[in-house]
Amino acid sequence: MGANWGHSLRLSIFGESHGKALGINIDGLASDIDIDFESIERDMGRRAPGKNSFSTQRKESDSFEILSGICDGKTTGAPLCAIIRNEDKKSKDYSKLKEVMRPSHSDYPAYIKYRGYNDVRGGGHFSGRITAPLVFAGSLAKSILAKKGIYVGAMIESIKNIEVEMPTEDRLSKELFDELAKKEMAILDEKKIVKIKEEIERARMNQDSVGGTIECFAIGVPAGLGEPFFDSLESSIAHLAFSVPAVKGIEFGKGFDIAKYYGSEVNDEYYYKNSIVKTKSNNNGGILGGISNGMPINFKVVIKPTPSISKLQHTINIKDKKDCELEIEGRHDPCIVPRAVVVIESIMAIALLDKIYEAGGRYE
């Protein structure tokens, strides 16, 4: 099973949605790093379920336990292992899903691949709950990057067909990212928050769900991180992005819209500002040739509507080999986007830290 990622910073995740615990093993961390436990706890709380009407009512604290790799509050250089215990499980809600395949879930392909032995409770190892260990690792990475003057933040760009105006590049700052992290929804426009809550509530009342898009930024990233082709900075970020359940697409900078312009309209022209190289625009999202160019890095991901909905759906019974109907029971998010913001920040931070370590200390 593909539960491992990374070159210099190596991650291994484990656990299932309704198992005793889930966790992560992080290898390759430098020694003598002060751990900012407060920021990790804050980020874990941002992802944790059961806090409002637009998330699942499964209530998990997402408190973490560090089993190894820390001594007197500092990293030892040995692998760091952390676990998050599952506290609020209702596994009986999934009793019939061994045979009845949920539409747009991993159930059927997982049944085929693992010959029916996969854990279906809450999605098992395929569940979005497994992003909790990623947030632990990402928050740790963010605290390390911050000491190097690199800051990561993300915000909701849209929910269904409601779009939110993104801040201009000159507004991006650590203070802005901190402000967004404290909000119930990572959106600056309070009027749009009201409209989006209404849209999510409408979906919930109709036993349905909605998706959206999240835009992520990193500022203070030095030029020169990454490699061409297979180990490009875009490849690393995209690899992690598509490891997050519900992510169905990614674009950097102007993304797919860049195809609508002439080269003269979207080329990022260089200039000097106080002897520092800048670009007049950032249509390529801070990455050229797979390598950071010193401008803010930004990408956008699209999150599909949560497939677990209570509406009657058509599917199959794999045991009887017959068509059937299904009404999914249990506790599910009518919209996963608000809780996914911190997950997307985390994968950006993990990818950047891996590339910094890969650079052999040049950016220490």
Side-chain angles (χ1 to χ4, degrees), residues 290-310:
I291 301 169
S292 61
N293 66 0
M295 295 298 289
I297 293 172
N298 80 288
F299 68 88
K300 185 192 301 182
V301 294
V302 58
I303 309 288
K304 73 177 184 178
T306 317
S308 288
I309 58 176
S310 300

Side-chain angles (χ1 to χ4, degrees), residues 307-355:
S308 288
I309 58 176
S310 300
K311 277 185 178 292
L312 185 68
Q313 299 180 87
H314 299 285
T315 187
I316 56 173
N317 184 305
I318 205 75
K319 181 180 179 182
D320 297 341
K321 298 189 184 306
K322 292 181 179 180
D323 295 343
C324 66
E325 294 178 334
L326 171 66
E327 292 182 19
I328 298 176
E329 300 173 354
R331 304 160 295 174
H332 309 287
D333 293 83
C335 182
I336 200 70
V337 177
R339 291 174 54 216
V341 170
V342 68
V343 181
I344 301 307
E345 289 177 6
S346 296
I347 61 117
M348 169 82 95
I350 292 167
L352 289 175
L353 187 59
D354 182 49
K355 290 302 180 187

Side-chain angles (χ1 to χ4, degrees), residues 52 54-55 155-166 184-189 191-204 208-215 300-306 333-341:
N52 46 56
F54 51 83
S55 73
M155 56 202 80
I156 295 171
E157 195 265 350
S158 71
I159 297 287
K160 202 172 184 289
N161 57 0
I162 303 173
E163 295 186 356
V164 179
E165 186 176 351
M166 292 291 99
E184 187 179 41
M185 280 194 182
I187 297 172
L188 293 173
D189 187 340
K191 292 181 180 178
K192 286 293 178 73
I193 292 178
V194 172
K195 289 183 179 180
I196 283 173
K197 283 185 175 181
E198 290 173 349
E199 187 64 57
I200 295 173
E201 179 62 13
R202 188 178 301 115
R204 188 181 72 84
D208 218 324
S209 63
V210 289
T213 56
I214 297 169
E215 189 155 9
K300 185 192 301 182
V301 294
V302 58
I303 309 288
K304 73 177 184 178
T306 317
D333 293 83
C335 182
I336 200 70
V337 177
R339 291 174 54 216
V341 170

Side-chain angles (χ1 to χ4, degrees), residues 41-263:
E41 288 170 357
R42 182 197 67 186
D43 279 352
M44 296 298 286
R46 292 169 64 197
R47 197 219 72 92
K51 293 190 172 182
N52 46 56
S53 63
F54 51 83
S55 73
T56 171
Q57 293 311 292
R58 176 177 179 176
K59 297 186 184 300
E60 296 284 359
S61 66
D62 278 1
S63 298
F64 56 88
E65 301 173 42
I66 296 177
L67 304 184
S68 66
I70 299 288
C71 186
D72 298 326
K74 293 179 179 285
T75 58
T76 64
L80 192 160
C81 183
I83 62 170
I84 300 106
R85 297 191 185 277
N86 291 318
E87 300 164 340
D88 184 18
K89 299 173 288 185
K90 291 187 178 179
S91 299
K92 64 180 179 61
D93 291 342
Y94 300 90
S95 57
K96 65 182 178 182
L97 298 180
K98 268 285 187 184
E99 301 167 1
V100 180
M101 306 289 100
R102 292 171 295 177
S104 286
H105 266 279
S106 62
D107 297 350
Y108 175 67
Y111 176 90
I112 297 298
K113 182 174 178 64
Y114 300 110
R115 298 178 295 169
Y117 290 100
N118 54 298
D119 185 351
V120 300
R121 300 170 302 162
H125 190 70
F126 296 88
S127 171
R129 176 126 186 84
I130 313 302
T131 60
L134 283 181
V135 171
F136 173 87
S139 183
L140 177 59
K142 283 196 292 182
S143 67
I144 297 171
L145 293 173
K147 294 174 183 177
K148 304 175 187 297
I150 300 171
Y151 301 99
V152 175
M155 56 202 80
I156 295 171
E157 195 265 350
S158 71
I159 297 287
K160 202 172 184 289
N161 57 0
I162 303 173
E163 295 186 356
V164 179
E165 186 176 351
M166 292 291 99
T168 55
E169 205 162 88
D170 61 322
R171 286 193 64 194
L172 300 177
S173 66
K174 174 185 181 298
E175 291 72 26
L176 177 67
F177 297 157
D178 287 343
E179 178 186 348
L180 286 163
K182 293 173 183 176
K183 295 170 74 71
E184 187 179 41
M185 280 194 182
I187 297 172
L188 293 173
D189 187 340
E190 293 295 328
K191 292 181 180 178
K192 286 293 178 73
I193 292 178
V194 172
K195 289 183 179 180
I196 283 173
K197 283 185 175 181
E198 290 173 349
E199 187 64 57
I200 295 173
E201 179 62 13
R202 188 178 301 115
R204 188 181 72 84
M205 294 301 293
N206 289 331
Q207 299 179 314
D208 218 324
S209 63
V210 289
T213 56
I214 297 169
E215 189 155 9
C216 189
F217 303 88
I219 57 175
V221 179
L225 285 183
E227 303 287 341
F229 295 100
F230 303 122
D231 286 326
S232 72
L233 187 50
E234 290 129 319
S235 297
S236 295
I237 293 171
H239 188 165
L240 284 167
F242 284 118
S243 301
V244 176
V247 169
K248 301 305 291 184
I250 186 170
E251 61 180 22
F252 291 84
K254 223 169 185 61
F256 286 96
D257 283 345
I258 206 167
K260 300 174 183 178
Y261 297 86
Y262 291 110

